[in-house]
Amino acid sequence: MKSDFNAYNYLLQHDIKPSVQRLAIINYLYEHRTHPTADEIYAGLIDQIPTLSKTTVYNTLNLFYQQAAILSLTIDDKNVRFDIDTSDHAHFKCLNCGKVFDVPAVLDSVTAIALEHGFIVAEKHLYLKGYCSSCNESPNK
Amino acid sequence: MKSDFNAYNYLLQHDIKPSVQRLAIINYLYEHRTHPTADEIYAGLIDQIPTLSKTTVYNTLNLFYQQAAILSLTIDDKNVRFDIDTSDHAHFKCLNCGKVFDVPAVLDSVTAIALEHGFIVAEKHLYLKGYCSSCNESPNK
DNA sequence: ATCAAATTTGTAATCATTACAATTTTATAT
DNA sequence: ATATAAAATTGTAATGATTACAAATTTGAT
Ligand SMILES: [Mn+2]
Ligand SMILES: [Mn+2]
Ligand SMILES: [Zn+2]
Ligand SMILES: [Zn+2]
């Protein structure tokens, strides 16, 4: 089953000039909704693009973020994680297996309160931490 | 005007054995509600405790965090910030001046949704980013 | 006073991310 | 098509926050 995602147009829509590397990275994010780190993206693409540089991965992700084509998640204090899903949703990180899950959420009320305080809100991040259902049922350690 | 905060008892209540360094750090957090970094705490205490080591500051903050005596904030991808206020509230980071402000918030609804998905929630962090009222009125650059 | 445990300290290591200059690729002008 | 300039990519070195670790100091119990 082939992906119906048009990476080329997705980049153009965000004023990003497509290149082999940029298309590969945005496609990787489309196909891997696990909120990968820059290093994971690099490891996942190095076979496909043997000349790929880790610097390019970082530069490209920063460009995507600046152009609001992806989210940059700091739920983990060690690595920044990336998400092609820029819609309003929360994230849950399991303290046992480390996976980051999506959680449906609406954050309008908090944004409204921030506006009342004179803040102009550009980004909203709701991070939850705890134990996922798998790790809860069969705890590791 | 003297602080009415009993640092000694606060540590004991969280099963933390008080020491000169630990008392100084928890007092610093009580008096500085700016969500300081480990480095800022170190810089703010080095005159008062000239032998203080940065390693001790990190170790102590990690201990406080493990004992749930403070919050550990990852709103900034560069530095972890710390907060003695463990009550339910959100944070707003100004992308211009870098300050981190408190924002009142109730996150029960999202926690409920997470529970429905089988997640056990231990921590909740709501981070907003944008421009504070000062920076909004007189933009810098 | 003595000994062991806990805490603190200083230094070195780790490691994610960025800086930077060289190289390669792409686009534009002749 | 060729020359030239601009943009993108690459490799390596630097940065900087945090941690690892072992030595030194302090604390607490006998
Ligand atoms: Mn997501
Ligand atoms: Mn706070
Ligand atoms: Zn898990
Ligand atoms: Zn500001």
Side-chain angles (χ1 to χ4, degrees), chain A residues 33 35 71 73 83 85 89-91 101-102:
Chain A
R33 304 306 187 98
H35 314 94
L71 296 183
L73 308 181
D83 193 347
D85 181 0
H89 66 289
H91 292 99
F101 303 88
D102 286 325

Side-chain angles (χ1 to χ4, degrees), chain A residues 20-109:
Chain A
V20 171
Q21 292 84 350
R22 290 171 179 175
L23 289 167
I25 292 171
I26 202 67
N27 264 316
Y28 185 93
L29 285 171
Y30 181 80
E31 288 162 10
H32 299 83
R33 304 306 187 98
T34 53
H35 314 94
T37 63
D39 206 64
E40 288 168 349
I41 296 169
Y42 173 81
L45 293 176
I46 189 62
D47 285 341
Q48 175 184 333
I49 307 175
T51 62
L52 185 64
S53 163
K54 202 170 281 188
T55 299
T56 298
V57 176
Y58 277 104
N59 288 344
T60 302
L61 291 168
N62 286 340
L63 173 66
F64 289 178
Y65 170 66
Q66 285 167 29
Q67 299 299 113
I70 62 174
L71 296 183
S72 175
L73 308 181
T74 59
I75 193 170
D76 188 337
D77 57 327
K78 295 299 165 204
N79 309 284
V80 177
R81 294 171 170 279
F82 299 92
D83 193 347
I84 201 176
D85 181 0
T86 58
S87 72
D88 212 357
H89 66 289
H91 292 99
F92 180 94
K93 184 186 180 199
C94 177
L95 299 172
N96 183 245
C97 64
K99 290 194 189 112
V100 175
F101 303 88
D102 286 325
V103 178
V106 179
L107 304 174
D108 293 336
S109 62

Side-chain angles (χ1 to χ4, degrees), chain B residues 43-141:
Chain B
L45 292 176
I46 189 61
D47 285 340
Q48 174 185 333
I49 307 176
T51 63
L52 185 63
S53 164
K54 203 171 280 188
T55 297
T56 298
V57 175
Y58 277 104
N59 288 344
T60 301
L61 291 168
N62 286 340
L63 173 66
F64 289 178
Y65 170 66
Q66 285 168 29
Q67 297 301 112
I70 62 173
L71 296 183
S72 175
L73 309 181
T74 60
I75 194 171
D76 187 338
D77 58 327
K78 295 299 165 203
N79 310 284
V80 178
R81 294 173 170 277
F82 300 92
D83 193 348
I84 200 176
D85 182 2
T86 58
S87 72
D88 212 358
H89 67 290
H91 292 100
F92 179 94
K93 181 183 182 201
C94 178
L95 299 172
N96 183 245
C97 64
K99 291 194 189 115
V100 176
F101 302 89
D102 288 325
V103 177
V106 179
L107 304 175
D108 294 336
S109 63
V110 198
T111 308
I113 293 170
L115 289 175
E116 288 168 20
H117 288 247
F119 296 127
I120 294 178
V121 177
E123 283 185 52
K124 299 172 269 184
H125 297 273
L126 175 53
Y127 301 139
L128 306 175
K129 300 184 190 185
Y131 298 92
C132 76
S133 51
S134 305
C135 292
N136 182 24
E137 285 163 15
S138 53
N140 222 19
K141 136 99 200 342

